[in-house]
Amino acid sequence: MARQWFDKEQWDAFWRFWDDAIQAIPGLKREALASMGDAVLREVRRQITRRGVHDSQGRVARWQTVRVGSKGGYVAVSPSPGETVQVTRSGEKTTSKDVTRYLERGHGIPTPRGRTRRYKPRIATHRTYVPGKAFYSWAKMDAEKLALEEADRTMDRLTDIFADYLAEV
């Protein structure tokens, strides 16, 4: 029976590689989630302009931000909640989140009362609701595809780590 030689140096190199790969995975996951969130954010901003939101200063698109889960398990695009857009006479605040929701889903409008003879209605139609632009809904259709493409790009880096190791061996 022939003797088998065991190369301890290669064995140690193999386990060092696995330790390095395991240490790299959480960072790659964070990077993948960040790039996925950025891709979806770009799509939401593109849909805001495509759906006809008339905002010459770009506020609505600027309000959209990427939100990361507390344990780093997900990313989502949502309006930034902190910015106050308007304060009414009664002191109620309208935030950027409220305005984004009104634009996305639509909102009601007061009906003309017309109590005086000189009253001219400002709104010619008899609608009592302004339809929403649904830019989040439109972006949602492409979000999964865009996010998976970004995740694939990031995971290609993990494949590169394995390929580098195999090239060394």
Side-chain angles (χ1 to χ4, degrees):
M1 186 162 152
R3 289 189 107 195
Q4 296 279 331
W5 291 102
F6 181 74
D7 188 1
K8 184 165 175 6
E9 211 168 288
Q10 282 187 342
W11 180 253
D12 290 340
F14 171 77
W15 286 112
R16 274 194 308 271
F17 160 74
W18 274 109
D19 287 339
D20 292 344
I22 289 170
Q23 294 297 321
I25 288 174
L28 287 172
K29 180 184 175 186
R30 277 191 298 278
E31 189 177 320
L33 283 171
S35 63
M36 291 162 69
D38 290 340
V40 174
L41 177 64
R42 283 191 303 272
E43 178 63 19
V44 167
R45 287 179 174 165
R46 190 172 71 82
Q47 289 298 332
I48 287 172
T49 56
R50 286 186 77 192
R51 296 293 140 211
V53 175
H54 301 294
D55 183 22
S56 60
Q57 296 169 345
R59 288 184 192 156
V60 179
R62 191 175 58 241
W63 290 334
Q64 310 310 311
T65 58
V66 176
R67 196 169 32 95
V68 181
S70 60
K71 295 181 182 176
Y74 72 92
V75 291
V77 176
S78 61
S80 58
E83 189 171 337
T84 300
V85 178
Q86 177 184 8
V87 178
T88 61
R89 286 184 218 156
S90 62
E92 293 179 30
K93 294 179 180 179
T94 303
T95 63
S96 55
K97 196 172 187 176
D98 295 331
V99 173
T100 302
R101 185 178 64 245
Y102 299 149
L103 289 170
E104 169 69 16
R105 298 181 186 163
H107 58 89
I109 53 175
T111 56
R113 291 183 179 67
R115 292 187 182 151
T116 64
R117 285 183 292 157
R118 294 179 296 162
Y119 178 75
K120 298 261 198 257
R122 290 176 285 166
I123 302 169
T125 65
H126 296 291
R127 283 193 317 197
T128 58
Y129 192 78
V130 175
K133 301 294 183 180
F135 46 85
Y136 274 121
S137 301
W138 284 98
K140 188 178 180 179
M141 293 191 325
D142 292 333
E144 184 178 2
K145 182 183 77 160
L146 292 170
L148 286 175
E149 287 173 1
E150 288 298 322
D152 283 343
R153 274 194 210 108
T154 306
M155 289 301 119
D156 283 344
R157 293 187 49 209
L158 185 61
T159 307
D160 292 342
I161 292 171
F162 283 104
D164 291 344
Y165 170 72
L166 291 174
E168 289 176 9
V169 175

